[in-house]
Amino acid sequence: HRDLHSFPTRRSSDLIHALGVERGRELLERVGYVQGARDAELIRRRWPQGPAHLHNAAGPLLHQLEGFTKVRTLRTITDDPTAHGEFLWLDSVEADEHLAAFGVAQAPCCWMLSAYGTGFASTMFGRVLVFREVECRAMGAPHCRVIARPRHEWGDSGQGFAAFDVERAAGPTRGGARRARPAGEDRK
């Protein structure tokens, strides 16, 4: 699955120019979501009885090791179904790319990183947790700030991953991980 990790974030501006903002965003979200879900599956396979703090730390640590952003965890996601998470992204490559290609953004633009968090946490915890960027360095904030909540708590703003059936991808239980699949992909 490492081919997804080499997807060049610095080329997101090329995607946006070629496909337009909405289609470019959708593609970046698809890549990020699958990458996050697959990383969570890898952690669960390698350390199935691992302590909760390992599972919580793995996503942010992988983000850092892969060079996408430095993560500071403000609130850790727990097994409690009402739990929320909160993270700071320092030096987001998506924010850097946006600033270099388009200048200051009017809205948060770390789409692949947000989708990665959604895919990772939803797969790891077996429930749909949507990551939303509420502050973005590309908009002039000092850092990117992200909140993770169950999708139903976001209301209409909890939508946005149209390429995936995130409920199906998250699986029914924490122990029942499934590979994220694009909507409409045939099961074999």
Side-chain angles (χ1 to χ4, degrees):
H1 82 279
R2 291 326 232 177
D3 56 320
L4 289 176
H5 292 287
S6 64
F7 187 81
T9 304
R10 69 183 182 282
R11 298 290 176 219
S12 63
S13 62
D14 294 342
L15 289 172
I16 292 168
H17 285 299
L19 303 174
V21 173
E22 290 306 311
R23 298 280 298 153
R25 177 181 181 161
E26 181 181 314
L27 180 58
L28 291 168
E29 287 179 342
R30 290 175 67 136
V31 169
Y33 186 91
V34 169
Q35 182 180 346
R38 288 182 176 179
D39 278 354
E41 289 172 350
L42 173 71
I43 297 300
R44 289 172 61 169
R45 275 194 313 274
R46 297 264 169 93
W47 296 281
Q49 302 304 319
H53 70 275
L54 169 69
H55 291 160
N56 277 316
L61 182 58
L62 286 169
H63 250 160
Q64 292 177 94
L65 291 172
E66 293 163 353
F68 290 111
T69 189
K70 295 175 188 161
V71 181
R72 182 179 309 151
T73 301
L74 300 177
R75 185 181 321 158
T76 302
I77 300 169
T78 66
D79 282 329
D80 178 345
T82 63
H84 297 79
E86 185 172 358
F87 307 89
L88 294 181
W89 291 335
L90 313 171
D91 300 323
S92 159
V93 295
E94 277 189 288
D96 289 344
E97 170 65 12
H98 187 91
L99 286 167
F102 304 108
V104 176
Q106 298 300 310
C109 62
C110 296
W111 305 320
M112 194 163 79
L113 292 173
S114 296
Y116 176 96
T118 298
F120 185 89
S122 296
T123 301
M124 185 61 71
F125 292 99
R127 63 184 189 274
V128 179
L129 292 163
V130 175
F131 279 53
R132 284 288 175 249
E133 191 174 16
V134 295
E135 294 176 21
C136 184
R137 197 163 50 81
M139 295 175 65
H143 50 258
C144 302
R145 187 168 67 94
V146 185
I147 307 289
R149 292 184 184 162
R151 179 157 71 178
H152 69 274
E153 291 186 20
W154 285 109
D156 290 343
S157 66
Q159 305 304 309
F161 296 99
F164 290 92
D165 177 350
V166 291
E167 271 86 7
R168 186 183 75 203
T173 65
R174 186 170 182 178
R178 297 184 204 161
R179 182 180 154 262
R181 299 176 199 271
E185 180 180 299
D186 293 330
R187 290 184 175 257
K188 299 191 174 163

